[in-house]
Amino acid sequence: QGRLLVSGGGSVQAGGSLRLSCIVSGYTFNPGCVGWFRQGPGTEREAVAAIFTTDGYTYYTSAVKGRFTISRVNDTNMVVLQMDNLKPEDTAMYSCALRALCGVSWPDPSRYSYWGEGTQVTVTV
């Protein structure tokens, strides 16, 4: 049975940083597309970023571009989401997901096959 283990998150003041990790086990990591999604109170699930593990190609939603960085950790099955200059509107439950390929449909959560549990990120003013 495969698993996506999510860690990190927490509470931070606006302008601060947090780091989320997603470890994939039991599923094919490379090649693969690992995406980060978030869902705030009363909102739909939103794609944040994704990375194609084979070549490290990255995707970002416009709301986080320049503030968040997604990367893979070499020689591991881990993807990290570094979140800098956090804003209150970044407050949400964050989770990672896995699919075989990225491409233009990377923001579509229905295209991901496997999901990790969420971790709460709270940004206060």
Side-chain angles (χ1 to χ4, degrees):
Q1 184 71 17
R3 184 182 181 189
L4 277 68
L5 180 62
V6 177
S7 62
S11 183
V12 65
Q13 286 188 324
S17 299
L18 286 172
R19 181 177 183 265
L20 305 182
S21 298
C22 176
I23 299 175
V24 178
S25 62
Y27 300 125
T28 299
F29 179 76
N30 185 6
C33 177
V34 177
W36 284 98
F37 292 80
R38 65 186 181 186
Q39 187 167 18
T43 67
E44 293 190 355
R45 182 177 282 169
E46 173 191 27
V48 175
I51 186 168
F52 187 52
T53 59
T54 300
D55 60 10
Y57 193 87
T58 58
Y59 306 78
Y60 296 96
T61 190
S62 58
V64 307
K65 198 171 293 184
R67 300 188 297 119
F68 291 13
T69 304
I70 188 171
S71 62
R72 54 182 179 171
V73 179
N74 289 338
D75 299 323
T76 72
N77 287 2
M78 181 187 295
V79 168
V80 171
L81 182 68
Q82 177 66 39
M83 305 183 294
D84 298 318
N85 191 21
L86 282 160
K87 303 177 180 180
E89 51 263 43
D90 295 318
T91 295
M93 184 72 73
Y94 285 70
S95 55
C96 66
L98 177 70
R99 57 181 285 193
L101 298 173
C102 288
V104 296
S105 64
W106 76 269
D108 184 353
S110 71
R111 303 294 294 271
Y112 289 75
S113 302
Y114 308 105
W115 288 82
E117 294 186 2
T119 186
Q120 179 67 35
V121 170
T122 301
V123 184
T124 59
V125 297

